[in-house]
Amino acid sequence: MRVFICFEGFCEPFDVPPDQTVGAMKQMVKDNFLIQLTSDQQVQQYLELSYGGAALQDSWTLSDVGITSGSAIRCLIKIERRPVVWVFNAVTGETLPVMGSEALLHMSVARLKTVVSMQSGLPVSTFRLSTPTGVQLYDCNRLQDYDIEVGTTLRLDTWDGWVEFLQGCLLGHRLTVQSHLSEKKPVMRFQLQVALYIAASLGHLDLADWLLERGMHAEEPVGVHPYRQWCHQTAHRDTGKCPIHIAAESSQLLILKLFITKKPLTLACRDPAGRDPLKVALQRGHRDCVCYLANKLCSVISLPNMSLPMRLYLQIKRWVTLGQKRAASNRCQDTSAAFKARVGDTLLVDGFNQPKMSSKSRRAVTKLSRRIKAKALQPLPPISNLPSNRAPPQLPGLWSVSPGDFTEMQKKQKQDVKSREDEISEEDSSLCRGKFKLPPIPSRENIPRPVFVGEKSSHILESCCGRTPRENAIHCWTIASTFTEKPWLKQLNIARTLIRKRVHTVT
């Protein structure tokens, strides 16, 4: 069949078979138009063929996507910037690209963690970064100190036993978050504040409302893990960031409305750089959030016997809060320090002990703790070594039973149980016959026989493609829906063809 390739104002005909692959078609276009593509570590040029508004993949054949004789295919040269480094997220299993120039390798690890935190939605105090060899990256160092090159894949790990908890936070599942909270109160309070931060970043309104009812505050910073209280002076700067700030950075207007409605004092909350939520939204360019926050700051708040401008009210509340803190510090009863180390608590200091951040599941952590407790228990001394002041108690004698009598008793018990079950089943069946009437059974010839996919073929498809038949159908329909210039029925036919081809190639 003959198709036409449109490239930079030229249209050339090509005679190709219907089962020609897109990859082979690209090579023909390169040879005909003498296209030169450049590629280096930062920038890559590649050829793209598009038809019906969708980009064609190299493994597809022309007939699979409905390309017939006389069709016109667009050819474009695309430029793709490659990431400087990649970060594998052990919580979600995704690999995050970090874009930029080679100068990014000269920045600090703390700056890289800020970028990764904005992309993943996780606070900086919940994860660590490490090289492919397992060397941990510390905030005070630079990437070049670890000999990291362009294209290196770093690893993001979280606290042991936190994987399921963070997955529930990222998805906004309140029950999952609630069921994976720690039993230790300081760690549990830190987890709740982390969950509020993630909910504010991703816009999970239901989860944020539940956390506020649990006593969390949007104007409180996330802070550091209770195990790292002794290292809080060298902690990352973003540990002082509050949920209200990340909501303004992420343009989560509904979350901002929820926080400010619950507590107007969050309008005056400042991040480590001294910015309030309005200034954060202005720098990020989120117009809707800026309009809402500005209207709130210019509004009037009604009190029982008076009305005050919002700015004046916030200033008075700030003075009152500072006075309460000073009075509490003078009495040595500073209640603002929610987490304090106690005897027996775990403390982690950089360079002195192994960090408990290897992304282990909660089940693996509980099994390990049980083994440690079992080893810690010392065996009890034998009974023979204990002083015996009293004579051992004598148990009453047992009746002697012959083997023949015992077998007869067992047979009799089994017969009694069987007779009772028969009586119960007869009563239930008679009750059902009396109350319910079953519909008449039609002839077998009129019943349509459904066609089922065998379990063997579905298992083969799942093992080869890594997707279930339902997930494979969704994947093929997603690809077909990219042909935006085609009508819906044509998209459906393309999806059917892709599914049929995948099943045939697997089986």
Side-chain angles (χ1 to χ4, degrees), residues 296-314:
K296 276 294 181 182
L297 287 173
C298 297
S299 62
V300 177
I301 187 167
S302 299
L303 298 175
N305 295 323
M306 60 188 303
S307 297
L308 291 176
M310 181 63 74
R311 292 184 180 274
L312 182 60
Y313 171 77
L314 295 176

Side-chain angles (χ1 to χ4, degrees), residues 120-187:
S120 62
L122 301 174
V124 293
S125 55
T126 59
F127 65 88
R128 67 159 185 162
L129 298 177
S130 59
T131 62
T133 57
V135 179
Q136 183 177 352
L137 306 182
Y138 293 101
D139 298 341
C140 57
N141 298 332
R142 298 183 179 273
L143 294 179
Q144 61 183 356
D145 298 335
Y146 299 94
D147 295 332
I148 296 175
E149 300 177 353
V150 176
T152 304
T153 301
L154 305 177
R155 182 179 175 87
L156 182 151
D157 286 307
T158 186
W159 296 95
D160 293 341
W162 279 45
V163 176
E164 296 85 355
F165 165 74
L166 291 178
Q167 289 175 354
C169 294
L170 294 173
L171 296 175
H173 293 170
R174 179 174 61 84
L175 296 178
T176 305
V177 173
Q178 190 174 4
S179 60
H180 289 90
L181 292 174
S182 176
E183 297 178 355
K184 299 179 181 179
K185 288 186 178 181
V187 179

